[in-house]
Amino acid sequence: MTRLKKLLGWVLALALIAAATAALAWWGFLHWQPDRERYPLRGIDVSHHQGAIDWAAVARDDVAFAYLKASEGGDHRDRLFAENWRGARAAGIATGAYHFFTFCRSGAEQARNFIAAVPVEADALPPAVDLEFGGNCGARPDGAAMRVELDAFLAAVESAYAKPALLYVTPEFFDAYRESLPARALWRRSIVRTPDTRAAWALWQYHNRARVDGIVGPVDLNVYAGGAAAFERWRGEPIAPSP
């Protein structure tokens, strides 16, 4: 009986150590961030999934910029986009809009959907297009076919907002279509690790389960690649004139 008690004691101790290790690892994950001296500007990206947002509280919690989901495909609009757009801008947060690009609608249709949803504001961040497989339709076009539709989207959107677009790419999408992507600034997803060196980036999405004041539940976190002066230049960069 004594030996059994000792064995049970060891098992309990090991279980407690494992639980404590897991809790510490989870805490470390939740609070991980890049070097803030190197990347001082922190931002979020949100959609209706975050629910109602207290943008004044967000602004006070070290959030300098925000990208808001505006549209998806040819006809879907994020139901909280207009509210988030007004709230983020009123809170003094540099604000931009993004579109989730689907392989099953034409680029021209998708551009019309985005343009109808997003106001033209000179101080807005460059328009962004979300390129990923997760949540997309089942089609998987080759690189040339994807590029034709993406170019159609970019031509209309960049003409409407007079700024070069930003391309959000997941690692899987980047692996599949890297050689087919147009020359645009990249917003790279690489959770809790620095993006690889295959391509430079303007924004880095480094977290997908973070906590920010003013938002109930998890939210994505991002950093800009440079300091405040570089950010302002990028924010206002006009699209290059056609040759």
Coordinates of all heavy atoms in Angstrom, one line a residue, residues 76-143:
H76 N -20.4 39.5 -51.0 CA -20.5 39.5 -49.6 C -19.8 40.8 -49.0 O -18.7 41.2 -49.4 CB -19.8 38.3 -49.0 CG -19.7 38.3 -47.5 ND1 -20.8 38.0 -46.7 CD2 -18.7 38.6 -46.6 CE1 -20.5 38.1 -45.4 NE2 -19.3 38.5 -45.3
R77 N -20.5 41.4 -48.0 CA -19.9 42.6 -47.3 C -19.9 42.2 -45.8 O -20.8 41.7 -45.3 CB -20.8 43.8 -47.5 CG -21.1 44.2 -49.0 CD -20.1 45.0 -49.6 NE -20.4 45.3 -51.0 CZ -21.3 46.2 -51.4 NH1 -21.9 47.0 -50.6 NH2 -21.5 46.4 -52.7
D78 N -18.8 42.7 -45.2 CA -18.7 42.5 -43.7 C -19.8 43.4 -43.1 O -19.7 44.6 -43.3 CB -17.3 42.7 -43.2 CG -17.1 42.3 -41.8 OD1 -17.6 43.1 -40.9 OD2 -16.6 41.2 -41.6
R79 N -20.6 42.8 -42.2 CA -21.7 43.6 -41.7 C -21.3 44.7 -40.7 O -22.1 45.6 -40.4 CB -22.7 42.6 -41.0 CG -22.2 41.8 -39.9 CD -23.2 40.9 -39.3 NE -22.7 40.0 -38.3 CZ -22.5 40.3 -37.0 NH1 -22.9 41.5 -36.6 NH2 -22.0 39.4 -36.2
L80 N -20.1 44.6 -40.2 CA -19.6 45.6 -39.2 C -18.6 46.5 -39.8 O -18.0 47.3 -39.1 CB -19.0 44.9 -37.9 CG -20.1 44.2 -37.0 CD1 -19.4 43.6 -35.8 CD2 -21.2 45.2 -36.6
F81 N -18.3 46.4 -41.1 CA -17.2 47.2 -41.7 C -17.5 48.7 -41.5 O -16.6 49.4 -41.0 CB -17.1 46.9 -43.2 CG -16.1 47.9 -43.8 CD1 -14.8 47.9 -43.6 CD2 -16.6 48.9 -44.7 CE1 -13.9 48.8 -44.1 CE2 -15.8 49.8 -45.2 CZ -14.4 49.8 -45.0
A82 N -18.7 49.2 -41.9 CA -18.9 50.6 -41.8 C -18.8 51.1 -40.4 O -18.2 52.2 -40.1 CB -20.3 50.9 -42.4
E83 N -19.3 50.4 -39.4 CA -19.2 50.8 -38.0 C -17.7 50.8 -37.6 O -17.3 51.7 -36.9 CB -20.0 49.8 -37.2 CG -20.0 50.1 -35.7 CD -20.8 49.1 -34.9 OE1 -21.8 48.5 -35.5 OE2 -20.5 48.8 -33.7
N84 N -17.0 49.8 -37.9 CA -15.6 49.7 -37.6 C -14.8 50.8 -38.2 O -13.9 51.4 -37.6 CB -15.0 48.3 -37.9 CG -15.4 47.2 -37.0 OD1 -15.7 47.5 -35.8 ND2 -15.4 46.0 -37.4
W85 N -15.1 51.1 -39.5 CA -14.4 52.2 -40.2 C -14.6 53.5 -39.5 O -13.6 54.2 -39.3 CB -14.9 52.2 -41.6 CG -14.3 53.2 -42.5 CD1 -14.7 54.5 -42.8 CD2 -13.1 53.0 -43.3 NE1 -13.9 55.1 -43.7 CE2 -12.9 54.2 -44.1 CE3 -12.2 52.0 -43.5 CZ2 -11.8 54.4 -44.9 CZ3 -11.1 52.1 -44.3 CH2 -10.9 53.3 -45.1
R86 N -15.8 53.8 -39.1 CA -16.0 55.1 -38.4 C -15.4 55.1 -37.1 O -14.7 56.1 -36.7 CB -17.6 55.3 -38.3 CG -18.3 55.6 -39.6 CD -19.7 56.0 -39.3 NE -20.5 55.0 -38.6 CZ -21.2 54.1 -39.2 NH1 -21.3 54.1 -40.5 NH2 -21.9 53.2 -38.5
G87 N -15.5 54.0 -36.3 CA -15.0 54.0 -35.0 C -13.4 54.0 -34.9 O -12.9 54.8 -34.1
A88 N -12.8 53.3 -35.8 CA -11.3 53.3 -35.8 C -10.8 54.7 -36.2 O -9.8 55.2 -35.6 CB -10.8 52.2 -36.8
R89 N -11.3 55.3 -37.2 CA -10.9 56.6 -37.7 C -11.1 57.6 -36.6 O -10.3 58.5 -36.3 CB -11.5 56.9 -39.0 CG -11.0 56.1 -40.2 CD -11.8 56.4 -41.5 NE -11.7 57.8 -41.8 CZ -10.7 58.4 -42.5 NH1 -9.6 57.7 -42.8 NH2 -10.7 59.7 -42.8
A90 N -12.3 57.6 -35.9 CA -12.6 58.6 -34.9 C -11.6 58.4 -33.7 O -11.3 59.4 -33.0 CB -14.0 58.4 -34.4
A91 N -11.1 57.2 -33.5 CA -10.2 57.0 -32.4 C -8.7 57.4 -32.8 O -7.8 57.3 -31.9 CB -10.2 55.5 -32.0
G92 N -8.5 57.8 -34.0 CA -7.2 58.3 -34.4 C -6.3 57.1 -34.8 O -5.1 57.3 -34.9
I93 N -6.8 56.0 -35.1 CA -6.1 54.8 -35.6 C -5.9 54.9 -37.1 O -6.9 55.1 -37.8 CB -6.7 53.5 -35.2 CG1 -6.8 53.4 -33.6 CG2 -6.0 52.3 -35.8 CD1 -7.6 52.3 -33.1
A94 N -4.7 54.7 -37.7 CA -4.6 54.6 -39.1 C -5.3 53.4 -39.6 O -5.1 52.3 -39.1 CB -3.1 54.5 -39.4
T95 N -6.2 53.6 -40.5 CA -7.2 52.6 -40.9 C -7.2 52.2 -42.4 O -7.0 53.1 -43.2 CB -8.6 53.1 -40.6 OG1 -8.7 53.5 -39.2 CG2 -9.7 52.0 -40.7
G96 N -7.3 50.9 -42.6 CA -7.3 50.4 -44.0 C -8.4 49.3 -44.1 O -8.8 48.8 -43.1
A97 N -8.7 49.0 -45.3 CA -9.7 48.0 -45.6 C -9.1 46.8 -46.4 O -8.2 47.0 -47.2 CB -10.9 48.6 -46.4
Y98 N -9.6 45.6 -46.2 CA -9.1 44.5 -47.0 C -10.3 43.7 -47.5 O -11.4 43.7 -47.0 CB -8.2 43.6 -46.2 CG -8.8 42.7 -45.1 CD1 -9.2 41.4 -45.5 CD2 -8.9 43.0 -43.8 CE1 -9.7 40.5 -44.6 CE2 -9.4 42.2 -42.9 CZ -9.9 40.9 -43.2 OH -10.4 40.1 -42.3
H99 N -10.0 43.0 -48.6 CA -10.9 42.2 -49.4 C -10.4 40.7 -49.4 O -9.3 40.5 -49.6 CB -11.1 42.6 -50.8 CG -11.9 41.7 -51.7 ND1 -13.3 41.8 -51.7 CD2 -11.6 40.7 -52.5 CE1 -13.8 40.9 -52.5 NE2 -12.7 40.2 -53.0
F100 N -11.3 39.8 -49.0 CA -11.0 38.4 -49.1 C -11.2 37.9 -50.6 O -12.4 37.9 -51.0 CB -11.8 37.5 -48.1 CG -11.4 36.1 -48.1 CD1 -10.5 35.6 -47.2 CD2 -11.9 35.1 -49.0 CE1 -10.1 34.3 -47.1 CE2 -11.6 33.8 -48.9 CZ -10.6 33.4 -48.0
F101 N -10.2 37.5 -51.2 CA -10.2 37.2 -52.7 C -10.6 35.7 -52.8 O -9.9 34.8 -52.3 CB -8.8 37.4 -53.3 CG -8.8 37.4 -54.8 CD1 -9.1 38.6 -55.5 CD2 -8.5 36.3 -55.5 CE1 -9.1 38.6 -56.9 CE2 -8.4 36.3 -56.9 CZ -8.8 37.4 -57.6
T102 N -11.6 35.4 -53.6 CA -12.0 34.1 -53.9 C -11.6 33.7 -55.3 O -11.6 34.5 -56.2 CB -13.5 33.9 -53.7 OG1 -13.9 32.5 -54.1 CG2 -14.3 34.8 -54.6
F103 N -11.3 32.4 -55.5 CA -11.0 31.9 -56.8 C -12.2 31.6 -57.7 O -12.0 31.3 -58.9 CB -10.2 30.6 -56.7 CG -8.9 30.7 -55.9 CD1 -8.6 29.8 -54.8 CD2 -8.0 31.7 -56.2 CE1 -7.4 30.0 -54.1 CE2 -6.8 31.8 -55.5 CZ -6.5 30.9 -54.5
C104 N -13.4 31.8 -57.1 CA -14.6 31.4 -57.9 C -15.4 32.5 -58.4 O -16.6 32.3 -58.8 CB -15.4 30.4 -57.0 SG -14.7 28.8 -56.7
R105 N -14.9 33.7 -58.3 CA -15.5 34.9 -58.9 C -14.5 35.7 -59.6 O -13.3 35.7 -59.3 CB -16.2 35.8 -57.8 CG -17.3 35.1 -57.0 CD -18.5 34.8 -57.9 NE -19.3 36.0 -58.2 CZ -20.3 36.5 -57.4 NH1 -20.6 35.9 -56.3 NH2 -20.9 37.6 -57.8
S106 N -14.9 36.4 -60.6 CA -13.9 37.2 -61.4 C -13.3 38.3 -60.6 O -13.9 38.8 -59.6 CB -14.5 37.7 -62.7 OG -15.4 38.8 -62.3
G107 N -12.1 38.7 -61.0 CA -11.4 39.8 -60.3 C -12.2 41.1 -60.4 O -12.3 41.9 -59.5
A108 N -12.8 41.3 -61.6 CA -13.6 42.5 -61.8 C -14.8 42.6 -60.9 O -15.1 43.7 -60.4 CB -14.0 42.6 -63.3
E109 N -15.5 41.5 -60.8 CA -16.7 41.5 -59.9 C -16.2 41.8 -58.5 O -16.9 42.5 -57.7 CB -17.3 40.1 -59.9 CG -18.1 39.7 -61.1 CD -18.6 38.3 -60.9 OE1 -17.8 37.3 -61.1 OE2 -19.8 38.1 -60.6
Q110 N -15.2 41.2 -58.0 CA -14.7 41.4 -56.7 C -14.3 42.8 -56.4 O -14.5 43.4 -55.3 CB -13.6 40.4 -56.4 CG -14.0 38.9 -56.4 CD -13.0 38.0 -55.9 OE1 -12.6 37.9 -54.8 NE2 -12.5 37.2 -56.9
A111 N -13.6 43.4 -57.4 CA -13.2 44.8 -57.3 C -14.4 45.7 -57.1 O -14.4 46.6 -56.3 CB -12.4 45.2 -58.5
R112 N -15.5 45.5 -57.9 CA -16.7 46.3 -57.8 C -17.3 46.2 -56.4 O -17.8 47.1 -55.8 CB -17.7 45.9 -58.8 CG -17.3 46.3 -60.3 CD -18.5 46.2 -61.2 NE -18.9 44.8 -61.4 CZ -18.3 44.0 -62.4 NH1 -17.4 44.5 -63.2 NH2 -18.7 42.8 -62.6
N113 N -17.3 45.0 -55.8 CA -17.8 44.7 -54.5 C -17.0 45.5 -53.5 O -17.6 46.2 -52.6 CB -17.8 43.2 -54.2 CG -18.5 42.9 -52.9 OD1 -19.4 43.6 -52.5 ND2 -18.1 41.8 -52.3
F114 N -15.7 45.5 -53.5 CA -14.9 46.2 -52.6 C -15.0 47.7 -52.7 O -15.2 48.4 -51.7 CB -13.4 45.8 -52.8 CG -12.4 46.5 -51.9 CD1 -12.2 46.0 -50.6 CD2 -11.7 47.6 -52.3 CE1 -11.3 46.6 -49.8 CE2 -10.7 48.2 -51.5 CZ -10.5 47.7 -50.2
I115 N -15.0 48.2 -53.9 CA -15.1 49.6 -54.1 C -16.4 50.2 -53.7 O -16.5 51.3 -53.1 CB -14.9 49.9 -55.6 CG1 -13.4 49.6 -56.0 CG2 -15.2 51.4 -56.0 CD1 -13.1 49.6 -57.5
A116 N -17.5 49.4 -53.8 CA -18.8 49.8 -53.4 C -18.9 49.9 -51.8 O -19.7 50.7 -51.3 CB -19.9 48.9 -53.9
A117 N -18.0 49.2 -51.2 CA -18.1 49.1 -49.7 C -17.2 50.1 -49.0 O -17.5 50.6 -47.9 CB -17.7 47.7 -49.2
V118 N -16.1 50.5 -49.6 CA -15.0 51.2 -48.9 C -14.9 52.7 -49.4 O -14.7 52.9 -50.6 CB -13.6 50.5 -49.2 CG1 -12.5 51.3 -48.4 CG2 -13.7 49.1 -48.7
P119 N -15.1 53.6 -48.5 CA -15.0 55.1 -48.9 C -13.6 55.4 -49.4 O -12.6 54.8 -49.0 CB -15.2 55.8 -47.6 CG -15.9 54.8 -46.7 CD -15.4 53.5 -47.1
V120 N -13.5 56.4 -50.2 CA -12.2 56.9 -50.7 C -11.7 58.0 -49.7 O -12.4 59.0 -49.6 CB -12.3 57.5 -52.1 CG1 -10.9 58.1 -52.5 CG2 -12.7 56.4 -53.1
E121 N -10.7 57.7 -49.0 CA -10.1 58.7 -48.0 C -8.6 58.8 -48.2 O -7.9 57.8 -48.2 CB -10.4 58.2 -46.6 CG -11.8 57.9 -46.2 CD -12.6 59.2 -45.9 OE1 -11.9 60.3 -46.0 OE2 -13.8 59.2 -45.6
A122 N -8.2 60.0 -48.4 CA -6.8 60.2 -48.8 C -5.8 59.7 -47.7 O -4.7 59.3 -48.0 CB -6.5 61.7 -49.0
D123 N -6.2 59.7 -46.4 CA -5.3 59.3 -45.4 C -5.5 57.8 -45.0 O -4.9 57.3 -44.0 CB -5.5 60.1 -44.1 CG -6.9 60.0 -43.5 OD1 -7.8 59.5 -44.2 OD2 -7.1 60.5 -42.4
A124 N -6.3 57.1 -45.8 CA -6.5 55.6 -45.5 C -5.2 54.9 -45.8 O -4.4 55.3 -46.7 CB -7.7 55.1 -46.2
L125 N -5.0 53.7 -45.2 CA -3.9 52.8 -45.5 C -4.2 52.2 -46.9 O -5.3 52.2 -47.4 CB -3.8 51.7 -44.5 CG -3.5 52.1 -43.1 CD1 -3.5 50.9 -42.2 CD2 -2.2 52.8 -43.0
P126 N -3.1 51.7 -47.6 CA -3.3 51.1 -48.9 C -4.4 50.0 -48.8 O -4.4 49.3 -47.9 CB -2.0 50.6 -49.2 CG -1.0 51.4 -48.5 CD -1.7 51.8 -47.2
P127 N -5.2 49.9 -49.9 CA -6.2 48.8 -49.9 C -5.4 47.4 -49.9 O -4.3 47.3 -50.5 CB -6.9 49.0 -51.2 CG -6.0 49.8 -52.1 CD -5.2 50.7 -51.1
A128 N -6.0 46.4 -49.2 CA -5.3 45.1 -49.1 C -6.2 44.0 -49.6 O -7.4 44.1 -49.5 CB -4.9 44.9 -47.6
V129 N -5.6 43.0 -50.2 CA -6.3 41.8 -50.7 C -5.8 40.6 -50.0 O -4.6 40.4 -49.9 CB -6.2 41.7 -52.2 CG1 -4.8 41.7 -52.7 CG2 -6.9 40.5 -52.7
D130 N -6.7 39.8 -49.4 CA -6.4 38.7 -48.6 C -6.3 37.4 -49.5 O -7.3 37.0 -50.1 CB -7.4 38.5 -47.5 CG -7.2 37.3 -46.6 OD1 -6.4 36.5 -46.9 OD2 -7.9 37.2 -45.6
L131 N -5.1 36.9 -49.7 CA -4.9 35.7 -50.6 C -4.5 34.5 -49.7 O -3.4 34.4 -49.2 CB -3.8 36.1 -51.6 CG -4.0 37.3 -52.4 CD1 -2.7 37.7 -53.2 CD2 -5.1 37.0 -53.4
E132 N -5.4 33.6 -49.7 CA -5.2 32.4 -48.9 C -6.1 31.3 -49.3 O -7.1 31.5 -50.0 CB -5.3 32.6 -47.4 CG -6.7 33.1 -47.0 CD -6.8 33.4 -45.5 OE1 -6.8 32.4 -44.7 OE2 -6.9 34.5 -45.1
F133 N -5.8 30.0 -48.9 CA -6.6 28.9 -49.3 C -7.7 28.7 -48.2 O -8.8 28.2 -48.5 CB -5.8 27.6 -49.4 CG -4.8 27.6 -50.5 CD1 -3.5 27.4 -50.3 CD2 -5.2 28.0 -51.8 CE1 -2.5 27.4 -51.4 CE2 -4.3 28.0 -52.9 CZ -3.0 27.7 -52.6
G134 N -7.4 28.9 -47.0 CA -8.4 28.7 -45.9 C -9.6 29.5 -46.1 O -9.6 30.7 -46.3
G135 N -10.8 28.9 -46.1 CA -12.1 29.5 -46.3 C -12.4 29.9 -47.7 O -13.4 30.5 -48.0
N136 N -11.5 29.5 -48.6 CA -11.8 29.8 -50.0 C -12.6 28.7 -50.7 O -12.9 27.7 -50.0 CB -10.4 30.0 -50.8 CG -10.5 31.0 -51.9 OD1 -11.4 31.0 -52.7 ND2 -9.5 31.9 -51.9
C137 N -13.0 29.0 -51.9 CA -13.8 27.9 -52.6 C -12.8 26.8 -53.1 O -11.6 26.9 -52.9 CB -14.5 28.5 -53.8 SG -13.4 29.1 -55.1
G138 N -13.4 25.8 -53.7 CA -12.6 24.6 -54.0 C -11.7 24.7 -55.2 O -10.8 23.9 -55.4
A139 N -11.9 25.8 -56.0 CA -11.1 25.9 -57.2 C -9.6 26.2 -56.9 O -9.3 26.9 -55.9 CB -11.6 27.1 -58.1
R140 N -8.7 25.7 -57.7 CA -7.3 25.9 -57.5 C -6.7 26.2 -58.9 O -6.1 25.4 -59.5 CB -6.6 24.7 -56.9 CG -6.9 24.5 -55.4 CD -6.4 25.6 -54.5 NE -6.8 25.4 -53.1 CZ -7.9 25.8 -52.5 NH1 -8.8 26.4 -53.3 NH2 -8.1 25.5 -51.3
P141 N -6.8 27.5 -59.3 CA -6.3 27.8 -60.7 C -4.8 27.8 -60.7 O -4.1 27.9 -59.7 CB -6.8 29.2 -60.8 CG -6.9 29.8 -59.5 CD -7.4 28.6 -58.6
D142 N -4.3 27.6 -61.9 CA -2.8 27.7 -62.0 C -2.4 29.1 -61.9 O -3.2 30.0 -61.8 CB -2.3 27.1 -63.4 CG -2.8 27.8 -64.6 OD1 -3.2 29.0 -64.5 OD2 -2.9 27.2 -65.7
G143 N -1.1 29.3 -61.8 CA -0.6 30.7 -61.5 C -1.0 31.7 -62.5 O -1.3 32.8 -62.2

